Amino acid sequence: LGGPVWIPRVHHGKDRTFFFVSYAGSRKRGATDTAAVQIPNPANLAGDFSNLLDNRGALRRIYDPATTRPDAQLGFVRDPFPGNRVPRDRFDPVTAKIAGFLPAPNAAGTLNYRGQIGEIVLDPDTFVLKLDHSFAAQHRVGGSFNTTKIPRLLIRSPLPPPLPSDASDQIIKGYTARLTYDYVIRPTLLNQLTLGYNLFDHNNLTVTKRVYPSKTGSWPEELGLKGVSGTAFPVVTFTGGYAGFASTTGTSDDEQLYVLKDGVSWFTGQHSLKLGAEVRVTRSNLRSTGNMSGSFAFSDLGTALPSQVANTGNAFASFLLGDVQSGSMNFPSIREPRRPYVGFYLQDDLKLTSR
């Protein structure tokens, strides 16, 4: 939409003041694909691994890490859990709460859970406003303002919230402002002064902070997880093919650009001269808030017989006991680089003939 600016009894902008405004946007909801992953079955969730088989088809035994002791051969031995069952009173309270979010299997085979994945939300909006005004034949000013906002929810794991291990909550924002002043000094000598400002804001967060938050405002607090500084759901990974939980995504970056530019155009004889200067200052703020609730890896080793790790133990049994193989946690960080730039240019277009 555009045209002259006309305000009754105030301003008649015909041939002097013009505006242009536009908007573009769309809305998208729903997954675009499906995927299948491996999750523990209901018996495993209850600590029952009596039907767990190794690659030879024999019972894969689960051993009690609390019974670990040295043997005569300078190695270590453990006692198996009776009936290949982990007693409920040995369940770790934090991992037991996490396990409570797991759904029941809904597919046959090893990959026993299938669900929807993809771009769940995509809502781009773009707005443009332009104004031009001529004070006189020699003086003209123009201004423009553009905004863009793109919320996007991308989930590549079929597990229900708050468990998806490959998911991100993105919010991209962009703002651009320009102000120009054109001065016709004489018909063959023109000057243009430009002021500009750009802001690009990119947030890529874990989905358990804003989209699927805890009822208490902190997932570690709700789970009873101590010693971490974040509020997102902790990341859990397994060996043995089980799907992991949650993601470490967490960045919030913005970049601001300030521009001052002046250019002169001079047309004389067969020459078209252009010269000018440009000054830019870029200010960036790069914030990292990922993995502040910790990442915890569980493996078969926690419940395996140390001398027979290939055919004993189970990562999810180790998880129920809270026997962490390894863990990590990040603290928030921020970097603030500043980049100035100054440039000059001189150009001469020479017309050799009048044609």
Side-chain angles (χ1 to χ4, degrees):
L1 177 65
V5 176
W6 179 62
I7 304 175
R9 300 183 181 181
V10 176
H11 182 76
H12 196 301
K14 184 180 180 181
D15 299 328
R16 294 184 58 199
T17 309
F18 299 88
F19 79 96
F20 173 81
V21 61
S22 70
Y23 165 79
S26 63
R27 297 293 182 267
K28 177 183 179 295
R29 294 292 184 276
T32 55
D33 204 349
T34 62
V37 295
Q38 179 184 352
I39 62 173
N41 59 44
N44 300 157
L45 289 173
D48 184 355
F49 296 88
S50 59
N51 292 322
L52 183 67
L53 303 179
D54 63 17
N55 53 15
R56 301 167 300 178
L59 178 67
R60 187 180 183 102
R61 292 198 175 275
I62 305 300
Y63 288 82
D64 185 353
T67 64
T68 306
R69 58 193 184 277
D71 61 13
Q73 287 74 41
L74 302 180
F76 293 90
V77 295
R78 290 170 172 171
D79 297 332
F81 280 109
N84 232 33
R85 292 177 172 87
V86 178
R88 281 190 175 273
D89 60 4
R90 294 285 303 278
F91 284 14
D92 181 86
V94 175
T95 59
K97 288 182 180 179
I98 294 176
F101 290 103
L102 278 165
N106 61 7
T110 302
L111 303 180
N112 56 353
Y113 185 82
R114 180 174 292 275
Q116 295 182 326
I117 62 170
E119 200 172 54
I120 309 300
V121 174
L122 181 63
D123 294 349
D125 290 299
T126 301
F127 174 78
V128 178
L129 173 65
K130 294 182 179 180
L131 289 172
D132 289 290
H133 178 72
S134 177
F135 291 97
Q138 292 178 297
H139 303 279
R140 179 182 292 274
V141 295
S144 65
F145 178 70
N146 301 359
T147 69
T148 300
K149 183 178 180 181
I150 309 175
R152 182 176 185 242
L153 176 59
L154 182 63
I155 297 181
R156 296 190 180 95
S157 168
L159 293 178
L163 299 179
S165 59
D166 189 355
S168 62
D169 173 25
Q170 296 180 328
I171 303 178
I172 300 173
K173 299 177 183 178
Y175 304 91
T176 302
R178 289 287 183 274
L179 180 63
T180 60
Y181 169 51
D182 294 324
Y183 175 32
V184 181
I185 303 171
R186 57 177 181 264
T188 59
L189 185 61
L190 313 175
N191 185 83
Q192 184 180 73
L193 176 67
T194 302
L195 299 175
Y197 173 75
N198 292 358
L199 170 61
F200 178 73
D201 189 6
H202 183 198
N203 298 280
N204 190 16
L205 307 174
T206 178
V207 296
T208 55
K209 288 180 69 71
R210 188 182 70 92
V211 183
Y212 306 124
S214 165
K215 295 178 182 178
T216 65
S218 169
W219 278 111
E221 179 182 316
E222 182 172 328
L223 298 171
L225 180 62
K226 308 294 184 183
V228 298
S229 58
T231 59
F233 202 88
V235 174
V236 178
T237 58
F238 302 93
T239 60
Y242 292 116
F245 310 147
S247 70
T248 60
T249 303
T251 57
S252 181
D253 304 334
D254 68 75
E255 181 175 275
Q256 300 179 70
L257 174 64
Y258 302 85
V259 179
L260 171 61
K261 181 179 179 181
D262 191 69
V264 175
S265 298
W266 182 26
F267 307 96
T268 175
Q270 295 178 299
H271 295 271
S272 298
L273 292 170
K274 295 182 180 181
L275 61 96
E278 182 174 345
V279 178
R280 300 181 190 174
V281 177
T282 303
R283 300 166 56 92
S284 301
N285 298 294
L286 311 176
R287 305 174 185 88
S288 176
T289 57
N291 198 32
M292 291 177 58
S293 296
S295 296
F296 306 91
F298 296 86
S299 75
D300 299 343
L301 295 175
T303 49
L305 184 64
S307 61
Q308 299 179 24
V309 295
N311 294 302
T312 61
N314 179 267
F316 193 76
S318 303
F319 170 77
L320 291 177
L321 292 167
D323 196 292
V324 180
Q325 178 70 20
S326 63
S328 65
M329 184 186 73
N330 296 349
F331 289 94
S333 65
I334 182 170
R335 294 178 292 122
E336 299 179 337
R338 303 292 186 260
R339 300 185 297 276
Y341 165 86
V342 178
F344 302 91
Y345 67 91
L346 174 62
Q347 175 182 325
D348 182 14
D349 293 334
L350 176 61
K351 192 173 183 179
L352 297 178
T353 68
S354 59
R355 291 186 296 175

